[in-house]
Amino acid sequence: MCVLAEDLHSELDDLDIPKILANDAERQGVIDCILENASCTELETKAAAAIKDALKTNCQACGDKRKENMKIITDWFNQNQPDTWTLVVAKVNS
């Protein structure tokens, strides 16, 4: 089952994370999905699941690309929307 979960999230490794972060609607869609504030598209659901899994496990099962993507994500939110990132981390850890 862990392999299946890893396969599910691995398709997200090639996403253009900086482009998604720069797009207010796409970025907010993923955040709303993580926070369960709105219904989610298939991509938002998969992205949210990958982010939540990486945060819950401290990215222990992440490949190099996912680790790189999570660093981009965490750095961006810490610099641009730290309050939003605090909400995401709190939701994942609850």
Side-chain angles (χ1 to χ4, degrees):
M1 189 67 152
C2 289
V3 173
L4 180 60
E6 187 66 25
D7 288 344
L8 174 70
H9 303 319
S10 67
E11 67 186 78
L12 300 172
D13 290 349
D14 293 326
L15 288 178
D16 186 346
I17 298 299
K19 181 181 174 188
I20 293 170
L21 291 171
N23 182 309
D24 292 342
E26 287 184 18
R27 181 183 65 247
Q28 193 59 48
V30 174
I31 295 303
D32 285 342
C33 190
I34 291 170
L35 298 177
E36 300 174 1
N37 290 340
S39 60
C40 307
T41 66
E42 183 178 348
L43 177 63
E44 291 166 352
T45 299
K46 289 178 181 179
I51 291 168
K52 289 192 281 189
D53 181 61
L55 289 172
K56 282 182 183 178
T57 65
N58 199 26
C59 224
Q60 290 178 344
C62 297
D64 290 341
K65 183 64 177 176
R66 183 134 359 102
K67 286 179 184 177
E68 179 184 326
N69 283 344
M70 285 303 297
K71 180 169 178 15
I72 292 168
I73 291 167
T74 56
D75 288 351
W76 189 94
F77 274 98
N78 284 321
Q79 291 175 6
N80 297 287
Q81 294 183 352
D83 293 341
T84 300
W85 193 244
T86 298
L87 291 173
V88 167
V89 172
K91 178 69 174 183
V92 168
N93 290 328
S94 65

